[in-house]
Amino acid sequence: MKPTNLILTVAVGILSATPSFAQEAVSKALHQVENYLDSVAYHSVDARYIEVPKQRWRVMGMGNLNEVSLKMKSTSESSGLIFSWEPDVTTGVDGSAGVRVGYRSLIAAYMVKVGHQSGSRFQLGTNGNRFGFNVQYRKFKVVDPEVRQTYGITDDFVFTDETPEQQENLKRGMVDYYNYHLDSPIEMKSLLIDGYYVFNHRHYSNASTRGLGYIQRRSAGSFIVGASWLEAEADYANNQNWAVINVMNNIGRIKMRQINLSAGYGYNWVPFKGLVVNLTAMPMVSLDNFLKIWTYDVKGMERIMEDDFSIDDIAIAERGSETNHSRMKFTLMGRAAVVYNYKRWFASATGQWQQYRYSHKDTTGRLTDWTATASIGYRF
């Protein structure tokens, strides 16, 4: 029995005790939804370039690798010198596993962390040929996060009575690079709502490598425009993380919100039947760049030189929060995918990289997120 007919049978069975007009109304509504999704799938599609599978349903198992890094650059003055601190807090590469279910352009996916992190990701949306809209929520905790730090004299600082070459040598000799791990976990969460519109939707299928509800039969490309709303938060405010808070201008928690517009180009190359290779580049501009930070005082450091000092004597105390709307930021989203279709089976490998920039007073930073995903699925 086809999945659609099965759903109708179950729905009618549940309503068997209700009047016949109610059963008829439910059945009619489900058929209308089915017909609408079919009409959207076939509308304005050139069958020579894009194939709409006869099977409406698809299910796939997925696994991915992901890394998120939060980099911040701040300056401070000491002994007449201006120093630059560039800590980069990274989650490290970690894996997730999950499942995605689709019906025509509609998709729903759920993934859970399977490595040294704990957390989950949920996605719901529609990926059509002409337009798409997705909502994605992610929340996870990073155990043993790594900090990659650069420390040195700022580039614009000028040593007096020194030649340019001597100044460069002095600055190079005072740069230090070192890595360490935080003793306390970092909690991160994000909500991303994004959409796109494809201009050449008759010949180019953006969905053939995203939601996988279509199959690209011939090579084609298109200009694409998009918009996104992102809200992300990172919290590492813990007594055990006092060292990184101290070099991050006393910032221990960050909440950012951005509204982005993007425009770019995507191309699907079909070297032979069944195989699709996609490359997409989407430069982005942030129209609204909201940032809220929580700052903390690091107490107990003045006792470091005392004989009875213990590292446990150092603690943080919340100072307060500040909000800021910074100027427009420019960044980029890049995506590459390979999909192979064989009868009802399909397999895909996708890589995506995106970055969001922010600033607050003398502090600048960026949130970088990359994901590599592999999946195998079946249409029915």
Side-chain angles (χ1 to χ4, degrees):
M1 180 179 292
K2 292 184 178 181
T4 304
N5 294 335
L6 177 61
I7 293 175
L8 292 174
T9 302
V10 173
V12 172
I14 293 175
L15 296 172
S16 59
T18 64
S20 59
F21 69 86
Q23 299 178 24
E24 183 178 349
V26 171
S27 178
K28 184 178 180 180
L30 290 173
H31 277 301
Q32 287 177 340
V33 171
E34 180 185 55
N35 292 335
Y36 171 75
L37 293 175
D38 281 347
S39 66
V40 170
Y42 286 96
H43 181 66
S44 299
V45 169
D46 188 335
R48 297 173 303 168
Y49 284 81
I50 300 173
E51 177 184 345
V52 181
K54 296 179 181 179
Q55 301 80 21
R56 297 183 176 95
W57 289 88
R58 62 194 179 279
V59 62
M60 65 197 79
M62 301 185 299
N64 74 19
L65 296 175
N66 172 251
E67 183 178 42
V68 179
S69 68
L70 179 67
K71 187 174 183 178
M72 188 176 297
K73 181 177 181 180
S74 60
T75 58
S76 62
E77 184 177 351
S78 177
S79 302
L81 299 178
I82 301 178
F83 290 91
S84 172
W85 300 82
E86 295 186 36
D88 187 358
V89 183
T90 176
T91 63
V93 179
D94 199 49
S96 300
V99 64
R100 175 187 288 173
V101 178
Y103 180 87
R104 286 302 187 210
S105 62
L106 303 179
I107 59 168
Y110 183 74
M111 302 190 75
V112 294
K113 292 289 186 181
V114 295
H116 65 277
Q117 303 173 14
S118 61
S120 61
R121 178 199 303 239
F122 176 73
Q123 180 184 7
L124 189 66
T126 174
N127 287 320
N129 274 332
R130 179 176 298 196
F131 64 88
F133 179 81
N134 292 277
V135 178
Q136 179 179 278
Y137 178 75
R138 180 172 57 174
K139 183 178 181 180
F140 58 97
K141 180 182 291 186
V142 186
V143 179
D144 195 32
E146 183 182 7
V147 180
R148 306 163 185 167
Q149 186 157 295
T150 306
Y151 167 76
I153 302 294
T154 58
D155 292 334
D156 56 354
F157 184 83
V158 178
F159 290 94
T160 58
D161 302 325
E162 303 289 347
T163 66
E165 183 179 357
Q166 290 173 328
Q167 291 195 47
E168 186 65 27
N169 291 334
L170 283 171
K171 291 180 180 180
R172 188 182 299 114
M174 299 182 73
V175 174
D176 192 14
Y177 304 91
Y178 55 97
N179 298 349
Y180 58 92
H181 290 265
L182 299 183
D183 295 323
S184 181
I186 291 180
E187 295 184 357
M188 305 185 76
K189 56 184 177 181
S190 65
L191 174 64
L192 175 64
I193 302 173
D194 71 317
Y196 64 84
Y197 180 84
V198 178
F199 287 93
N200 185 21
H201 52 268
R202 283 182 53 81
H203 301 133
Y204 171 78
S205 176
N206 195 45
S208 65
T209 58
R210 286 181 60 118
L212 303 174
Y214 299 81
I215 299 174
Q216 186 83 43
R217 301 183 65 182
R218 291 186 179 182
S219 301
S222 176
F223 287 101
I224 307 170
V225 294
S228 64
W229 184 91
L230 169 74
E231 184 166 303
E233 184 174 341
D235 187 354
Y236 49 93
N238 186 286
N239 286 338
Q240 293 175 300
N241 294 337
W242 65 268
V244 71
I245 292 175
N246 190 54
V247 300
M248 280 191 162
N249 271 359
N250 296 95
I251 298 173
R253 181 183 170 194
I254 298 173
K255 184 176 184 180
M256 58 185 295
R257 183 180 68 241
Q258 289 189 342
I259 298 177
N260 304 297
L261 293 181
S262 57
Y265 193 83
Y267 188 80
N268 283 340
W269 177 47
V270 184
F272 55 84
K273 182 179 178 181
L275 181 66
V276 184
V277 180
N278 171 265
L279 289 176
T280 303
M282 299 283 287
M284 297 190 302
V285 57
S286 301
L287 300 181
D288 179 43
N289 212 0
F290 169 84
L291 181 70
K292 184 175 183 179
I293 60 139
W294 283 261
T295 56
Y296 297 80
D297 291 319
V298 180
K299 299 181 178 296
M301 292 184 60
E302 68 279 359
R303 299 188 58 246
I304 287 181
M305 302 304 296
E306 297 180 7
D307 294 336
D308 60 345
F309 170 78
S310 170
I311 200 70
D312 295 331
D313 295 337
I314 300 181
I316 63 170
E318 184 174 335
R319 182 189 301 171
S321 62
E322 302 176 39
T323 59
N324 179 54
H325 284 267
S326 62
R327 65 183 186 276
M328 290 192 302
K329 302 288 184 180
F330 293 92
T331 185
L332 175 71
M333 186 281 289
R335 187 173 182 274
V338 178
V339 179
Y340 182 70
N341 297 278
Y342 179 74
K343 296 182 179 180
R344 295 191 177 193
W345 292 92
F346 57 91
S348 70
T350 304
Q352 182 165 311
W353 180 93
Q354 52 195 2
Q355 189 177 88
Y356 304 92
R357 297 178 178 273
Y358 61 90
S359 61
H360 180 75
K361 295 182 179 179
D362 295 330
T363 301
T364 59
R366 55 104 182 104
L367 178 71
T368 304
D369 187 354
W370 68 261
T371 304
T373 304
S375 66
I376 185 169
Y378 183 77
R379 296 184 176 95
F380 59 96

